[in-house]
Amino acid sequence: MKHLDVAAAVVIKDGKVLAMRRGPGGNPVTSLKWEFPGGKVEPGEAPSQTVERELREEMSYEVRAVRRLAKVDQDYPDFGITLDAWLCSADSFGFVRKEHIDSRWIPLEELSADVLDWAPADRKIVEAILPILR
């Protein structure tokens, strides 16, 4: 089975966390689900660099990776991923949605697996970081 290393940005700004909604199509397990923005780790690239690059490319959003929050494994029907989540800071709320169909800034106190329909790997990240962020 194919395996991907993926990095995600947990962007926190003024007590809110950024969540992005995937569009339709692609993997039916993750289609239209909510996720933390990010993408595939390129060869020779550190996951912290991946989140900064991916948000710059996909959202025209400058963030700084601060520290690793959690790392989870998730198997899907056709592939598996290791998702490396990084706490990121940003100077503004402004970004451009280029690949996602929706976005929300979720207050930290409302960040739970029950608020949004998270993609399976991202749900694991939410569950892992809740105790850290509270």
Side-chain angles (χ1 to χ4, degrees):
M1 181 164 41
K2 183 178 178 179
H3 187 87
L4 301 171
D5 289 316
V6 182
V10 179
V11 182
I12 298 179
K13 177 97 178 111
D14 296 341
K16 296 180 180 178
V17 180
L18 180 61
M20 305 296 288
R21 189 169 186 208
R22 297 175 64 94
N27 186 320
V29 178
T30 59
S31 178
L32 299 171
K33 302 288 186 183
W34 289 87
E35 67 179 2
F36 295 106
K40 294 179 193 128
V41 178
E42 298 293 336
E45 185 177 55
S48 59
Q49 294 171 311
T50 300
V51 293
E52 292 174 355
R53 175 185 54 78
E54 286 282 345
L55 272 68
R56 189 177 318 109
E57 290 174 1
E58 292 183 2
M59 301 166 61
S60 298
Y61 197 34
E62 294 294 327
V63 301
R64 288 170 303 288
V66 177
R67 68 180 171 99
R68 174 180 283 133
L69 288 174
K71 193 171 184 178
V72 301
D73 292 310
Q74 177 67 47
D75 288 328
Y76 293 105
D78 300 332
F79 64 97
I81 67 169
T82 297
L83 180 57
D84 198 345
W86 283 77
L87 173 64
C88 293
S89 64
D91 292 332
S92 75
F93 286 104
F95 58 85
V96 178
R97 269 197 328 254
K98 297 178 183 179
E99 297 192 14
H100 293 90
I101 61 169
D102 199 3
S103 61
R104 290 193 193 158
W105 287 97
I106 309 294
L108 280 174
E109 60 272 9
E110 295 177 18
L111 181 65
S112 74
D114 298 331
V115 173
L116 297 176
D117 187 14
W118 293 97
D122 294 84
R123 179 179 301 277
K124 287 182 178 179
I125 293 295
V126 170
E127 292 166 0
I129 66 175
L130 278 174
I132 298 168
L133 298 178
R134 287 190 175 154

